[in-house]
Amino acid sequence: MKTFRFKSRYFVFLFFIFLIIINIAGIYHLRDTKDNRETGYVVDVDYNSLKDALPQNGIAYVLFYYDDSAFSEKMESNLQKLAQQEMENVHFFKLNLNKYLGQLDKHDYSFAKDPLPYVHIYSNSEKVKQIAGVVSESNLQMIHQKVLRSHNISK
């Protein structure tokens, strides 16, 4: 009886095919919701006016992003969807890190060296949470509900 023996070169070949398929699926998924960013719920602010733009009462989301980053575009799209649902006492801003990288305070913005998008969540002008990378819409909604509960803000 003949036994099947899996050769290592077949394993390596299948591994590379798997990586290519995963990469293509990831790129397709990131490009899937690009058009949602055009609705304009997330307001672009500059570094100098960011502190003044944060509301004294309520919650604010600030997306720190890089130009031409698929991850930043996806995160902005997810924030746009959250902003469509949460308009009362919740503000959404974005700040382009490419423009203000030299001006950022190194202590407060040490995350800016990473190419990932970051979202800072502020409650009553104080930072309460930081999110790194791309967070799905459902997880973003859960984070938002948790922030509302922990700061006694009713929806």
Side-chain angles (χ1 to χ4, degrees):
M1 185 166 186
K2 204 175 200 182
T3 60
F4 177 75
R5 184 162 181 219
F6 198 69
K7 296 183 180 181
S8 61
R9 66 176 172 241
Y10 296 141
F11 176 76
V12 171
F13 177 74
L14 289 175
F15 181 72
F16 281 116
I17 295 294
F18 176 73
L19 286 178
I20 290 170
I21 290 171
I22 293 297
N23 200 356
I24 290 171
I27 290 170
Y28 177 75
H29 182 69
L30 283 175
R31 292 183 182 169
D32 189 31
T33 55
K34 238 184 201 179
D35 297 332
N36 191 39
R37 295 179 311 119
E38 302 301 323
T39 56
Y41 292 106
V42 180
V43 178
D44 205 356
V45 295
D46 65 353
Y47 175 68
N48 299 322
S49 65
L50 177 62
K51 298 258 188 234
D52 296 332
L54 295 175
Q56 294 300 319
N57 295 321
I59 296 176
Y61 287 78
V62 181
L63 170 66
F64 296 90
Y65 70 100
Y66 287 98
D67 287 333
D68 300 327
S69 167
F71 296 117
S72 295
E73 291 173 359
K74 177 64 176 170
M75 191 62 197
E76 183 180 345
S77 175
N78 292 348
L79 275 177
Q80 292 282 7
K81 290 176 183 174
L82 179 65
Q84 288 173 349
Q85 301 167 1
E86 303 292 334
M87 293 299 292
E88 191 173 320
N89 290 329
V90 182
H91 305 273
F92 295 87
F93 303 104
K94 61 183 178 178
L95 187 131
N96 186 339
L97 289 173
N98 293 101
K99 292 180 184 177
Y100 305 105
L101 201 52
Q103 300 176 24
L104 298 176
D105 180 10
K106 299 300 179 202
H107 177 69
D108 292 336
Y109 300 99
S110 60
F111 62 88
K113 62 183 177 264
D114 296 334
L116 297 172
Y118 281 81
V119 176
H120 289 185
I121 303 173
Y122 294 87
S123 177
N124 303 329
S125 297
E126 292 184 27
K127 184 168 77 168
V128 294
K129 192 157 185 66
Q130 177 176 317
I131 304 170
V134 178
V135 177
S136 70
E137 298 168 42
S138 59
N139 286 348
L140 199 56
Q141 185 68 32
M142 289 182 348
I143 291 169
H144 179 68
Q145 295 302 323
K146 186 176 180 181
V147 169
L148 288 176
R149 280 192 309 272
S150 67
H151 290 66
N152 296 325
I153 299 173
S154 61
K155 186 173 176 184

